[in-house]
Amino acid sequence: MKINQLILKNYRGAIDLPLEFTDRVNVFFGINGAGKSTVIDALAIALSWVVGRIQYAKASGRPISENDITNGKLFASIEFACTDDEQKFEWKLLKTRKGVRLP
């Protein structure tokens, strides 16, 4: 499986962060607080759903917590795309603040 894309919206400090991954090695670097761990944690959440669904069709993965929603925002989302033998898989995880209903 190859990870192609990750899009974070209102997830921790990432207001709108689209990432495209290459076929080769992808490296994250930056100063403390730049968001490296945010990207890795978002990937871990997304991949936990893949592993869960492989093990059991109705299984779930690690959810986005309300604390992961950017301050002042109503929701956070993680969009994820990958390919396996040229078949593309995409999914999106969304968490809203308690009491918020999105249209």
Side-chain angles (χ1 to χ4, degrees):
M1 180 171 70
K2 177 188 167 237
I3 300 169
N4 301 320
Q5 183 180 49
L6 179 71
I7 300 172
L8 306 179
K9 292 188 181 173
N10 304 326
Y11 181 76
R12 298 184 184 172
I15 303 301
D16 186 12
L17 180 63
L19 297 170
E20 298 285 333
F21 296 96
T22 67
D23 289 340
R24 302 188 62 134
V25 174
N26 294 272
V27 178
F28 299 101
F29 65 92
I31 62 170
N32 289 347
K36 303 176 297 289
S37 294
T38 295
V39 171
I40 299 302
D41 288 343
L43 282 169
I45 288 171
L47 290 171
S48 74
W49 287 82
V50 174
V51 171
R53 295 289 168 95
I54 288 171
Q55 293 174 339
Y56 180 66
K58 295 188 180 196
S60 56
R62 193 174 120 202
I64 299 170
S65 77
E66 189 160 342
N67 292 332
D68 289 330
I69 301 172
T70 302
N71 288 337
K73 301 296 183 181
L74 300 177
F75 72 94
S77 69
I78 298 171
E79 296 180 51
F80 186 78
C82 62
T83 53
D84 182 30
D85 296 328
E86 301 306 317
Q87 186 174 7
K88 189 172 183 178
F89 300 93
E90 299 177 332
W91 61 95
K92 181 177 183 176
L93 303 170
L94 180 75
K95 174 71 175 181
T96 59
R97 291 206 183 274
K98 288 184 180 176
V100 172
R101 296 184 64 110
L102 296 176

